[in-house]
Amino acid sequence: MGKKKKIKKLKARIKKLKSALKAATTHTHKVAPLAPPSFPDLPVIEGVRFAAAEAGVKYQGRLDVMLAVCDPGTSIAGVFTRSATRSANVLDCQDKIGSDATGGAAIIVNSGNSNAFTGRAGEGSVKAISEAVSKATGVPENRVYSASTGVIGVRLPHDRITAKLDELNAGLDPAALDLAARAIMTTDTFPKGAAAEVSIDGKPVKIAGIAKGSGMIAPDMATMLVYIFTDAEVEQHVLQGMLGNLTDMTFNNITVDSDTSTSDTLILAATGASGVKVTDKTDPFRDALHGVMLDLAHQVVRDGEGATKFVEVRVTGAASDKDARTHALAIANSPLIKTAIAGEDPNWGRVVMAIGKSGAQADRDQITIRFGDILVAEKGWVAESYREEDGAAYMKQDELVIDVDLGLGQGDATVWTCDLTHGYIQINADYRS
Amino acid sequence: MGKKKKIKKLKARIKKLKSALKAATTHTHKVAPLAPPSFPDLPVIEGVRFAAAEAGVKYQGRLDVMLAVCDPGTSIAGVFTRSATRSANVLDCQDKIGSDATGGAAIIVNSGNSNAFTGRAGEGSVKAISEAVSKATGVPENRVYSASTGVIGVRLPHDRITAKLDELNAGLDPAALDLAARAIMTTDTFPKGAAAEVSIDGKPVKIAGIAKGSGMIAPDMATMLVYIFTDAEVEQHVLQGMLGNLTDMTFNNITVDSDTSTSDTLILAATGASGVKVTDKTDPFRDALHGVMLDLAHQVVRDGEGATKFVEVRVTGAASDKDARTHALAIANSPLIKTAIAGEDPNWGRVVMAIGKSGAQADRDQITIRFGDILVAEKGWVAESYREEDGAAYMKQDELVIDVDLGLGQGDATVWTCDLTHGYIQINADYRS
């Protein structure tokens, strides 16, 4: 690259960083109280480059499109919403998972418009964007993975995105994942990133990921988008299997309000640039990936609409893992429990209620409930040692653990959620579209 | 009855009516905006008598115990919560349904304490109360149906109830169902009653019922209790079958916040005093009973915590009735839809989301959505004729219909719900136990 071209590129990057910085310091909404102190330093993942642009899809003066281009040979795995009304982008991505990796891969995401429930026009937009990305980047069209997030039921002005592709392609930079994290935000109150580095057979392997969700302003949906990149070398079917299993332990176990988006998308790209081969037996890699996914999943909950408490619900002793998860989700999604938590009320009776209604197996007299380390209820009644003051003091913390043992078997599950506050109502009811 | 005794009884009744009147006019909470203008005039049902008393179970200076005594031969049918952590009272009632009717039947209900999750002590309380009711009324113990509603996890001070049984028994009055409706209230903002009179083979048959739910103050649960009486003559198995079917079309299709109580109880008593035989073929009776049950079910929703909108969700064209109900409940329980309704936002995109997440069959391009008579979306997109101003104007009404046709088959279902407002959060989070 010539010096002149390089300077131009660096200047363009500076301009975008300034724009992102400006957006970051002129929040219309305050940053969520549970937000981490700062965005992490993400390592460069060899074999993938990023760019972000202001396309004005809906918002003006902010990054709203990201492009990632992965080198030839990159394995792509993906998991998607199971919604029966999923968006055109999701259906298209699902078709493209498992396609030939020779030509590399590209990921294109816009915020401001979800392209969901836009009829046949939605499919046309996906096609137009995929074609344009293919043309600009040289990546085959069947390796272009798109996602859209934002208002639903409004035709996506995809020309605004395709008009930016040459600029995006020219600006591709291995270090720009942080800008990508900002470009995919809708009403998130903070950008979400996580990374890990792990040594396998003495060689370093890196993982870095970004996510968005689940902040929202009517009439958008709390779409969750997650993109994770690694320089490990992993066969596609191994990567897909690993991603599916780890999703069940992370993103599928978080809930803000029990409502599922039509656009949820998680894509994991393994470039292979490290030259380190990873199989389904490579535990250190799997553990590191698990850590990155859990970190991102927790950040999504921490940015839950109106959230003031981060809550881990642990269920053990269930008849099966499935039963444990059913109980855990019944607790995590109960409006009565979520409002009690918001009110810092150690209302264990509502936990008993949620266990009872979940439909999974339970025996009143075998249930043990703890708030953190405090034994609250056992043997079908409040514990003799329990003092309401202790429970009330515990509930004042920002991070809470509700621990239920059913005393029936070996099944366990952990899910994460937040409380249900006036903030949630305000975000979703008070502001008209 | 001697004149002196009669005067004493009338005076006692006047005293209780005064107390009820006082309680009715000194609300700590305002009456729900969706409340009916007044409590209906309930007809006397021959063969059953009622009494209410101030036992001071938790509240002082208000009626908190009701007793109903049914004549020998009364058929009793019941449906109960399916919660796995259901209360001792519910388990006891379930055992007693179908027992020999020769000795009549008694129903005893207290408010202020739910006797749920109180371990073995809870069963002891049910036994003590049943014995005492049997002793006072002469009804066999296995025909005494009890229920408790209020705070959970606190031992029921059943002595306060048993101490009132002679007074209750002495005060039994065929016309006192209105007082019973007030005695079973917890944080309901209005007492709930409904009645019907129907002519069968030229002879009148009467039905009258009362209900409570689903107002609540922490840490109580939104328990629903319903008692319906008729002078029809119905065999127990016929009555039970009819009640089960009609419950699926009424009380099982209402939802305030998707949380299921540990104590929900519905008892239907047929005294037979009219001498009119009713079978499972007697459509006029069945329809009248359906009407009374639907009326009471709607009143429960109208008193939903914080409710400002009464919403009917109709789903047609589903692959099956079961699928239709799954979709309808997904819509009715979606916090995003309920908050949009609270905000008077015609947010049809969230309806699409709920249909998608429900798990039941749907095809985006076949879905038709109407708000009242306004066609909002069809063929996978917003309807061409739809104007946002029309939707917004419609949403300002107190009573709304969300109508979804899936275009797949003949399955249909209707459920009723209310919006999710700051009032709900206030009731359940802001007031500590």
Side-chain angles (χ1 to χ4, degrees):
Chain A
M1 194 185 292
K3 272 193 186 152
K4 203 169 163 187
K5 201 171 167 193
K6 181 146 195 184
I7 287 168
K8 197 179 159 196
K9 198 167 167 178
L10 288 171
K11 279 190 178 167
R13 177 151 161 77
I14 286 164
K15 195 179 155 202
K16 274 165 196 175
L17 281 167
K18 276 188 174 174
S19 157
L21 191 66
K22 194 181 163 197
T25 48
T26 54
H27 290 291
T28 44
H29 298 275
K30 273 185 264 180
V31 170
L34 299 171
S38 63
F39 191 78
D41 286 326
L42 300 179
V44 165
I45 306 294
E46 292 297 329
V48 54
R49 292 164 301 146
F50 307 93
E54 296 177 11
V57 171
K58 183 181 176 197
Y59 314 110
Q60 298 300 320
R62 59 151 283 188
L63 300 172
D64 60 357
V65 181
M66 73 155 258
L67 175 69
V69 176
C70 302
D71 285 353
T74 295
S75 293
I76 301 281
V79 289
F80 303 92
T81 178
R82 294 178 189 129
S83 169
T85 53
R86 48 191 176 268
S87 71
N89 307 65
V90 167
L91 293 165
D92 183 65
C93 283
Q94 286 179 308
D95 278 349
K96 290 172 174 174
I97 289 292
S99 55
D100 177 48
T102 321
I107 297 167
I108 177 109
V109 184
N110 74 272
S111 55
N113 184 312
S114 77
N115 193 32
F117 214 68
T118 47
R120 298 289 162 210
E123 285 143 42
S125 292
V126 173
K127 178 81 180 152
I129 291 170
S130 296
E131 275 174 5
V133 169
S134 177
K135 192 162 164 254
T137 63
V139 168
E141 205 186 314
N142 71 345
R143 295 285 288 174
V144 178
Y145 299 91
S146 72
S148 296
T149 175
V151 63
I152 88 159
V154 176
R155 187 191 283 258
L156 178 66
H158 59 254
D159 292 348
R160 297 184 198 167
I161 298 167
T162 54
K164 289 285 170 178
L165 278 171
D166 287 336
E167 176 194 324
L168 283 161
N169 190 53
L172 286 167
D173 182 334
L177 183 54
D178 54 347
L179 290 179
R182 283 170 174 85
I184 64 175
M185 287 166 68
T186 50
T187 53
D188 300 64
T189 72
F190 61 89
K192 297 161 189 72
E197 199 171 318
V198 62
S199 176
I200 294 167
D201 300 333
K203 285 188 198 162
V205 169
K206 288 172 187 149
I207 304 170
I210 59 172
K212 73 143 305 239
S214 53
M216 177 180 101
I217 291 183
D220 302 355
M221 278 187 283
T223 290
M224 190 175 75
L225 300 179
V226 186
Y227 298 97
I228 304 174
F229 305 89
T230 174
D231 54 9
E233 192 180 332
V234 201
E235 284 183 61
Q236 200 278 332
H237 73 272
V238 172
L239 200 67
Q240 185 69 39
M242 205 179 279
L243 183 65
N245 286 336
L246 292 175
T247 300
D248 280 342
M249 297 162 71
T250 54
F251 293 103
N252 281 350
N253 284 348
I254 61 171
T255 177
V256 169
D257 57 8
S258 81
D259 277 341
T260 308
S261 163
T262 52
S263 304
D264 290 337
T265 295
L266 193 179
I267 282 183
L268 169 58
T271 66
S274 69
V276 180
K277 285 200 169 63
V278 160
T279 70
D280 52 11
K281 304 269 185 297
T282 315
D283 291 344
F285 178 81
R286 188 197 168 83
D287 292 348
L289 179 59
H290 184 189
V292 168
M293 289 170 70
L294 197 59
D295 189 341
L296 291 172
H298 286 183
Q299 288 188 50
V300 171
V301 173
R302 286 171 187 280
D303 207 6
E305 296 162 353
T308 67
K309 306 274 187 186
F310 179 81
V311 187
E312 178 167 302
V313 180
R314 291 182 200 152
V315 174
T316 54
S320 67
D321 285 352
K322 194 174 166 239
D323 263 23
R325 188 160 178 273
T326 302
H327 283 304
L329 284 173
I331 294 166
N333 281 326
S334 160
L336 290 178
I337 293 175
K338 292 164 90 81
T339 47
I341 292 167
E344 303 188 334
D345 177 3
N347 199 318
W348 58 271
R350 294 183 186 177
V351 177
V352 176
M353 175 280 301
I355 295 166
K357 78 159 180 168
S358 81
Q361 205 181 320
D363 175 348
R364 184 196 70 185
D365 296 341
Q366 303 298 324
I367 299 168
T368 304
I369 300 172
R370 284 186 175 79
F371 289 159
D373 292 331
I374 304 166
L375 176 65
V376 177
E378 60 177 349
K379 295 173 191 158
W381 208 354
V382 63
E384 268 185 47
S385 59
Y386 177 67
R387 298 185 322 146
E388 181 80 1
E389 311 88 87
D390 297 342
Y394 178 75
M395 298 303 284
K396 292 197 183 302
Q397 297 181 83
D398 284 352
E399 315 222 341
L400 302 169
V401 176
I402 298 175
D403 190 314
V404 172
D405 188 276
L406 291 155
L408 298 174
Q410 300 299 316
D412 65 65
T414 303
V415 309
W416 297 272
T417 192
C418 55
D419 52 346
L420 174 57
T421 67
H422 284 293
Y424 183 88
I425 307 285
Q426 210 165 354
I427 293 167
N428 289 303
D430 292 357
Y431 296 106
R432 276 294 320 284
S433 54
Chain B
M1 196 187 288
K3 272 193 188 151
K4 204 170 165 187
K5 202 171 165 192
K6 181 145 195 183
I7 287 169
K8 197 180 159 195
K9 198 167 166 178
L10 288 172
K11 279 189 177 170
R13 177 151 161 77
I14 286 164
K15 195 180 157 200
K16 275 164 198 179
L17 281 168
K18 277 188 173 174
S19 157
L21 191 66
K22 194 182 164 196
T25 47
T26 55
H27 290 289
T28 43
H29 298 275
K30 273 184 265 182
V31 170
L34 301 171
S38 63
F39 190 79
D41 287 327
L42 299 179
V44 165
I45 307 293
E46 293 298 328
V48 54
R49 293 164 300 145
F50 307 92
E54 296 177 12
V57 171
K58 183 181 176 200
Y59 315 108
Q60 298 300 321
R62 59 152 282 190
L63 300 173
D64 61 356
V65 181
M66 73 155 259
L67 176 69
V69 177
C70 302
D71 285 354
T74 295
S75 293
I76 300 282
V79 289
F80 304 92
T81 179
R82 293 175 189 133
S83 168
T85 53
R86 47 192 177 267
S87 70
N89 307 65
V90 167
L91 293 166
D92 184 66
C93 282
Q94 287 179 306
D95 278 350
K96 292 172 174 173
I97 290 292
S99 54
D100 177 49
T102 320
I107 296 166
I108 177 110
V109 185
N110 73 273
S111 54
N113 183 313
S114 77
N115 193 32
F117 215 68
T118 46
R120 298 289 163 212
E123 285 143 43
S125 292
V126 173
K127 178 82 182 152
I129 291 169
S130 296
E131 275 174 6
V133 169
S134 177
K135 191 162 166 257
T137 63
V139 168
E141 203 185 314
N142 71 346
R143 294 285 288 174
V144 177
Y145 300 90
S146 71
S148 297
T149 176
V151 63
I152 87 157
V154 175
R155 186 191 283 258
L156 178 66
H158 59 253
D159 291 350
R160 297 184 198 167
I161 298 167
T162 53
K164 290 283 169 177
L165 278 171
D166 287 336
E167 177 193 325
L168 283 161
N169 190 54
L172 285 168
D173 181 334
L177 184 53
D178 54 347
L179 290 180
R182 284 170 174 85
I184 63 175
M185 288 166 68
T186 50
T187 53
D188 299 62
T189 73
F190 60 90
K192 298 162 187 71
E197 198 170 319
V198 61
S199 175
I200 294 167
D201 301 331
K203 284 187 198 163
V205 169
K206 288 172 188 148
I207 304 171
I210 58 172
K212 74 145 299 240
S214 53
M216 178 181 97
I217 291 183
D220 301 356
M221 278 187 281
T223 291
M224 190 176 73
L225 300 179
V226 186
Y227 297 96
I228 304 174
F229 304 89
T230 174
D231 53 9
E233 192 180 331
V234 201
E235 283 184 63
Q236 199 279 332
H237 75 272
V238 172
L239 200 66
Q240 185 69 38
M242 204 180 281
L243 182 65
N245 286 336
L246 292 175
T247 300
D248 281 341
M249 300 163 68
T250 54
F251 293 102
N252 282 349
N253 285 348
I254 61 171
T255 177
V256 169
D257 58 7
S258 80
D259 277 341
T260 309
S261 165
T262 52
S263 303
D264 289 338
T265 295
L266 193 180
I267 282 182
L268 168 59
T271 66
S274 68
V276 180
K277 282 199 171 63
V278 160
T279 71
D280 51 12
K281 305 269 184 296
T282 315
D283 291 343
F285 177 80
R286 187 196 167 85
D287 292 347
L289 179 59
H290 184 190
V292 167
M293 288 169 71
L294 198 58
D295 189 343
L296 291 172
H298 286 183
Q299 289 188 49
V300 170
V301 173
R302 286 171 187 280
D303 208 6
E305 296 162 354
T308 68
K309 306 275 187 186
F310 179 81
V311 186
E312 178 166 303
V313 180
R314 291 183 200 151
V315 174
T316 54
S320 66
D321 286 352
K322 194 173 166 240
D323 264 21
R325 188 161 177 272
T326 301
H327 284 304
L329 284 173
I331 295 166
N333 281 326
S334 161
L336 289 178
I337 294 175
K338 293 164 89 83
T339 47
I341 293 168
E344 302 188 335
D345 176 5
N347 199 317
W348 56 271
R350 294 183 184 176
V351 177
V352 177
M353 175 281 301
I355 294 165
K357 76 157 183 171
S358 80
Q361 206 181 318
D363 175 348
R364 184 197 68 184
D365 295 341
Q366 303 298 324
I367 298 168
T368 304
I369 300 172
R370 282 186 175 80
F371 289 159
D373 293 330
I374 304 166
L375 177 65
V376 177
E378 60 177 348
K379 296 172 191 159
W381 208 352
V382 64
E384 269 186 46
S385 59
Y386 177 66
R387 298 186 320 146
E388 181 80 1
E389 314 87 87
D390 297 342
Y394 179 74
M395 298 304 282
K396 294 198 183 302
Q397 298 181 82
D398 284 351
E399 314 222 341
L400 302 170
V401 176
I402 297 176
D403 190 313
V404 172
D405 188 277
L406 291 155
L408 298 176
Q410 301 300 316
D412 65 65
T414 303
V415 308
W416 298 273
T417 191
C418 55
D419 52 347
L420 173 57
T421 67
H422 284 293
Y424 184 88
I425 307 285
Q426 209 165 355
I427 294 167
N428 289 303
D430 294 357
Y431 297 106
R432 277 294 321 283
S433 53

